[in-house]
Amino acid sequence: MSETHIQIDNVNAYYSGHPALKNISVKIPKKQITAIIGPSGCGKSTLLKCMNRLIDLTDGITYSGKILIDNEDIFDRKTDIINIRKKMGLLAQKPTPLPMSIYENIAYGPRIHGIKKKADLDTIVEKYLTLVGLWEEVKDRLNSPASQLSVGQQQRLCLARGLAVEPEIILCDEPTSALDPISSQHIEQQLLKLKNEYTIVIVTHNIHQAMRLADYVIHLYLGEMVEHGPADEVFENPKDERTRAYINGTFLADVKIDKVIDTKGNQCPYNFVYAKQALHSLEKGQTLKMIVDDPTAVTEVPRGMEADGHVVLSVKQKNITDWEIVIKKKG
Amino acid sequence: MELRRVEESVFRVLMILSLLIVVGSLLAVIGTILWKGLPVLSIDMITKTAEGGYFLGKGGGILNAIVGSLYLAAGGTVLAFFLSIGIAFYLQKEYSGGTKLSNLTRLSLDILWGTPSIVYGAFGFTVMMYFHMRASLLGGIIILAFLELPIMTRAMEEVLKTVPRELKEVSYSLGATRLETTLRVVSKQALPGLMTGVLIAFGRGIGDAASILFTAGYTDRIPTSLFDATASLPLAIFFQLGTPSPQVQQKAYASAVILLVIVLAISITTRFLSRKYTKYIIK
């Protein structure tokens, strides 16, 4: 394994007392792509936001542990978080251009870090827009509002903006989930190109994307790190049952489903009860598939079943409203 | 099924009725003022100060009140702006962390908002008496600033709240400090809303009579220093309507037209200016 860039040590995080991350310890390798995978609500984004302490902006959050970047503990209150953040570019889920022109979006970072000369800024803007393949498309309208770009272009602009402060690390929070397939591909290609120079951490719930990009994989599940390791090992031979189920489940369940219940149209406590009844009627180790359309159920039912000791194999969105939860009875 | 449809129509009629009442009253107010005021409105009204015996129906105009009102409201708004912008930014969660102090501030502002302006006037008068000050432009400006402060602050605070958190996150993630984020990103995104807040407060300030009655006084001259007493449009209207002379009473409506035009002109100019800056806003 290559050199460690970010060392996460015993990190716990709580949202108003509710655990979101439990005892996470992992080393993120330098100049590689590390993918954090896992179902919705498992703490992926929380972990990512811990790394640049944007987590501080969240209400009711408490955290403990250590995150060492270049031997500096970023959880230490004495650490100058402004300079730490400068080391890390962030690519958010939704492209978020700043309320300025295309040019100013790129120049914003360098400018607050002290570059004032127009000629220098011009060079930086051209360099990073070229790097993300946007220069040719926008060079004639650098002064028009960034909000006029297409969503895909906006995301590339955001990438360029993050790179312009010359970070060492790029943090990506589901960077392609709002994009069309072609724009997504564009971003993925950029990331693959950038990994020679940067350490990249990407949160994704798209297992295919993780497979295409990742050198190292961390699988989070309900706030717990169930598996981590080099990508080929984790994907080819997952050690943890839940990882295996997550990876398989995302393709095609070769899990045999013993019972299917449809609780669409039911609110949360009810689909919870139906799931319990259905599991009760099954033999040990048999599998239940349930369809839900209540957003609360999507996170709460797996949590509850997990608390009862059953194993939740997959939580997957089927279409706009429906989710599929696969649960294996304990035993 | 039928009943539900009837319900639907009844409520729709009620809604249209409320709308008509609002629009109707506005039109009635403007209509009355224009109808009674326009015929009396003359060039003299806006180019001359009150001449001797003005309130007995003799010549002159209300230039002293127009200029006085602009001085008062502009001064009050500028003063209130510098206080409000600080408070409004502080009330944001990143600065105050939603503490008791910020809740207390909000409560105070709401109470101040509801305080009748004559109370402000009486308070200002008491303070000025204590310091042996006479009614002056400065006194009027300060008291108007306090009158406008809660309106402006609360309006600004609401606007700042609507700035998406992602925008701030982006700025922080690029290594910006809170101040840089506030000044370069948040205020840019919120600019049109902030301007509206200022405008609403200005409207309240220029239209208020009771608070400046004792603090700014009334005079026939245009003030030449901050310590001179000054006339104002709302008080001009008040005094004109209060005279026995029908000629002067009519002029009150002309004054109202002038006040209305000033408020409209400033509102339109601000909107026009803010449009220049809104094109970068992220929707």
Side-chain angles (χ1 to χ4, degrees), chain A residues 103-164:
Chain A
Y103 181 95
E104 288 300 323
N105 257 278
I106 308 289
Y108 179 80
R111 213 173 264 186
I112 55 178
H113 295 297
I115 298 175
K116 301 269 186 260
K117 265 194 232 145
K118 177 93 171 78
D120 295 345
L121 289 170
D122 286 349
T123 321
I124 292 173
V125 170
E126 179 171 350
K127 177 180 167 191
Y128 289 102
L129 283 177
T130 312
L131 189 68
V132 299
L134 204 56
W135 179 251
E136 286 304 316
E137 294 164 49
V138 302
K139 64 177 178 192
D140 299 324
R141 47 179 177 136
L142 289 174
N143 289 318
S144 54
S147 52
Q148 280 175 6
L149 295 171
S150 76
V151 179
Q153 287 172 325
Q154 283 182 16
Q155 192 65 314
R156 276 185 283 155
L157 179 75
C158 294
L159 182 60
R161 180 182 60 198
L163 295 176

Side-chain angles (χ1 to χ4, degrees), chain B residues 134-234:
Chain B
R134 297 179 54 195
S136 65
L137 181 57
L138 185 65
I141 285 176
I142 292 174
I143 221 66
L144 277 186
F146 278 105
L147 183 77
E148 293 181 22
L149 184 75
I151 305 168
M152 209 189 278
T153 311
R154 291 296 260 147
M156 284 177 169
E157 195 210 343
E158 289 306 315
V159 171
L160 291 176
K161 253 191 225 162
T162 63
V163 173
R165 197 174 87 170
E166 290 86 355
L167 276 184
K168 299 180 201 167
E169 287 190 352
V170 163
S171 178
Y172 291 134
S173 77
L174 292 168
T177 59
R178 289 187 297 187
L179 184 65
E180 283 160 343
T181 306
T182 305
L183 294 183
R184 299 189 189 205
V185 177
V186 175
S187 55
K188 242 183 205 150
Q189 174 77 5
L191 190 67
L194 295 178
M195 281 174 132
T196 311
V198 172
L199 207 66
I200 296 171
F202 179 86
R204 168 106 202 250
I206 202 169
D208 196 73
S211 62
I212 49 175
L213 182 59
F214 307 121
T215 50
Y218 199 87
T219 157
D220 285 351
R221 283 173 297 115
I222 293 173
T224 50
S225 98
L226 280 173
F227 302 101
D228 286 353
T230 180
S232 54
L233 278 170

